[in-house]
């Protein structure tokens, strides 16, 4: 097995950062500060520059209006995430080998340590038909009543939220401290459309050492049947997470 390698994101050097973690391959972070920047501001100008080639490629004014409406709808959704404390958001795009669906743990001979078993960025070795798997990864902060981290981790999945948490797992001994993993499945309401899909959400609750806030990693995907692969992916993220700057320890 090869040694894991990491690409350093500029946010790791942010002096105001309070949590560090490694995002697995296949995810593209959304620049929330740019996408939700008020006008006028330098980030808003950056967004306009990024959108210019896309808008210029539209065949006519009608299609440009459609593109702008889609951007506005996306901004509305991201703004709603920000209102509930979301500080990081990334879209996951992986390729799933349908021939391997009968084996939820995926191939045993994978030499890519940064990819979850059962998911890959390329078609599987069997050469079967592959489909694209979409997911959304978020980091959300929650203010909590002061309590020891172990108590906070236990309380995180007993708040009476709907849908209720299931497959609850308490993990200790990690660099970030105690963590509670759990799952929820959201069922679309009646009349949601011709092809309604369930949404699997896997959560990792990481109490901050100061005892006053909780970091929640959430991985959402409609690929409910791939829950084991996605749970493995989320566990990988948690195992790399920490509340102390790892770069400070690496400096001579």
């Amino acid at each position: 097995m090869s040694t894991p390698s990491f690409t350093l994101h500029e946010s790791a050097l942010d002096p105001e950062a309070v949590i560090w973690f490694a995002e697995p391959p296949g995810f593209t972070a959304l620049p929330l500060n740019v996408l939700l920047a008020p006008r006028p501001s330098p980030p808003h100008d950056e967004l306009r520059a990024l959108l210019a080639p896309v808008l210029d490629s539209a065949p006519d004014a009608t299609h440009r209006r459609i593109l702008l409406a889609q951007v506005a709808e996306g901004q509305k959704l991201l703004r709603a995430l920000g209102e509930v404390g979301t500080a990081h958001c990334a879209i996951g795009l992986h390729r799933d080998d349908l021939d391997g669906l009968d084996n939820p743990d995926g191939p045993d001979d994978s030499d890519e340590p940064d990819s979850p078993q059962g998911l890959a960025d390329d078609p599987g070795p069997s050469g079967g038909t592959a489909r694209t798997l979409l997911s959304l990864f978020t980091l959300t902060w929650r203010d909590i009543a002061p309590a020891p981290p172990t108590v906070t981790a236990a309380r995180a999945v007993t708040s009476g939220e709907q849908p209720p948490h299931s497959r609850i797992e308490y993990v200790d001994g990690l660099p970030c401290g105690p963590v509670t993993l759990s799952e929820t499945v959201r069922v679309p309401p009646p009349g949601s459309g011709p092809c309604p899909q369930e949404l699997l959400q896997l959560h990792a609750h990481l109490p901050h050492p100061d005892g006053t806030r909780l970091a929640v990693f959430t991985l959402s995907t409609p690929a409910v049947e791939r829950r084991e692969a996605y749970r493995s992916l989320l566990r990988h993220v948690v195992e790399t997470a920490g509340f102390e700057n790892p770069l400070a320890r690496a400096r001579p």
Side-chain angles (χ1 to χ4, degrees):
M1 179 177 291
S2 57
T3 302
S5 59
F6 301 91
T7 300
L8 189 64
H9 190 268
E10 60 183 10
S11 60
L13 303 177
D14 185 351
E16 298 182 358
V18 292
I19 188 171
W20 290 261
F21 58 92
E23 198 165 76
F27 282 87
T28 300
L30 301 179
L32 298 180
N33 62 319
V34 174
L35 293 173
L36 300 179
R39 67 173 78 180
S41 66
H44 183 265
D45 293 340
E46 182 180 348
L47 176 61
R48 292 185 60 182
L50 291 172
L51 289 176
V54 179
L55 296 176
D56 291 342
S57 66
D60 51 45
T62 299
H63 284 83
R64 282 193 291 272
R65 285 195 295 270
I66 293 174
L67 289 172
L68 287 173
Q70 291 175 336
V71 171
E73 185 65 22
Q75 289 176 315
K76 181 180 178 180
L77 295 174
L78 292 176
R79 193 169 288 110
L81 288 174
E83 291 174 353
V84 296
T86 300
H88 179 81
C89 182
I91 294 177
L93 184 63
H94 297 87
R95 187 159 295 191
D96 184 32
D97 183 0
L98 293 181
D99 290 346
L101 281 178
D102 292 334
N103 178 13
D105 293 329
D108 294 330
D109 58 352
S110 172
D111 59 358
E112 175 52 71
D114 292 335
S115 296
Q117 290 184 339
L119 299 179
D121 296 324
D122 298 306
S126 62
T129 304
R131 62 169 179 166
T132 298
L133 298 178
L134 292 173
S135 60
L136 183 69
F137 174 71
T138 60
L139 164 63
T140 301
W141 287 100
R142 297 180 186 174
D143 293 329
I144 57 173
T150 53
V151 175
T152 298
R155 288 176 177 173
V157 294
T158 59
S159 59
E161 296 179 0
Q162 295 296 326
H165 293 269
S166 63
R167 301 190 69 195
I168 298 171
E169 177 186 1
Y170 180 81
V171 183
D172 202 356
L174 298 177
C176 61
V179 177
T180 300
L181 301 173
S182 66
E183 298 179 16
T184 56
V185 177
R186 297 189 177 274
V187 180
S192 298
C195 300
Q197 288 184 294
E198 294 181 334
L199 182 68
L200 171 68
Q201 292 190 303
L202 301 107
H203 311 278
H205 307 83
L206 290 69
H208 193 278
D210 66 11
T212 65
R213 47 188 166 168
L214 178 71
V216 183
F217 291 128
T218 301
L219 188 55
S220 305
T221 177
V224 179
E225 73 281 5
R226 306 304 279 153
R227 65 186 339 128
E228 295 301 335
Y230 277 109
R231 190 175 180 109
S232 174
L233 187 153
L234 184 61
R235 179 183 282 273
H236 171 83
V237 175
V238 169
E239 290 173 349
T240 68
F243 296 104
E244 295 182 3
N245 188 349
L247 301 179
R249 297 194 301 267
R251 291 169 184 160

